[in-house]
Amino acid sequence: MAQANDDGFGAVLRRLRRSRNLTQEELAERAQISAKAVSALERGERRRPYPHTVRALAGALDLDAAERDRLGASVPDAPASAPPSPGRWSVSTPATELVGCDTDV
C-alpha cells in the first residue's frame, strides 16, 4: 500500500478536511463523490485525482484562493510519456489497412 508524504495530495486533503471538522463521508457527500474515493485519495492509494475531482473537493471544502493553490500544487504531474503496454492497441497503427480510402487520406 502506498504511503502519502506530508506534502502529497492525500495529506493536504486530509488537513483541509479536518480543518473544516468534516468526516470523509461528509466531504464525499458535499463533493458528490464516494467516501471510498476520499479515503483512497487521503491514503495515497489514488495518487493522481482527476481535475474535476479536485475541483469538486475544493468547492465542497469552500477553499480560499491560497488553499486551492496549495491543493492544486499537491497533485503530482502525470508521467512524461509512458510507452504503451504490450498487447494494447495504438492509435498511430491502424487495426486494418485503409483500403479504398486513398482519396480520404
Side-chain angles (χ1 to χ4, degrees):
M1 186 183 309
Q3 290 191 347
N5 64 34
D6 289 344
D7 297 326
F9 182 82
V12 172
L13 177 61
R14 182 181 305 108
R15 281 195 303 272
L16 290 168
R17 175 182 59 80
R18 288 180 176 168
S19 74
R20 269 76 176 165
N21 296 315
L22 294 172
T23 65
Q24 290 179 344
E25 292 78 14
E26 291 168 333
L27 176 58
E29 185 176 329
R30 287 182 179 195
Q32 297 182 340
I33 63 174
S34 72
K36 185 177 178 179
V38 173
S39 176
L41 288 166
E42 286 189 1
R43 288 191 323 265
E45 189 175 298
R46 284 185 51 204
R47 297 182 193 186
R48 289 190 191 90
Y50 293 112
H52 65 273
T53 301
V54 177
R55 284 190 300 273
L57 290 166
L61 289 166
D62 195 27
L63 302 181
D64 63 30
E67 291 170 324
R68 280 181 185 267
D69 289 346
R70 185 170 53 235
L71 185 64
S74 69
V75 177
D77 293 331
S81 117
S85 303
R88 296 205 50 181
W89 57 273
S90 170
V91 175
S92 62
T93 306
T96 60
E97 291 184 27
L98 299 174
V99 178
C101 296
D102 291 335
T103 57
D104 293 336
V105 174

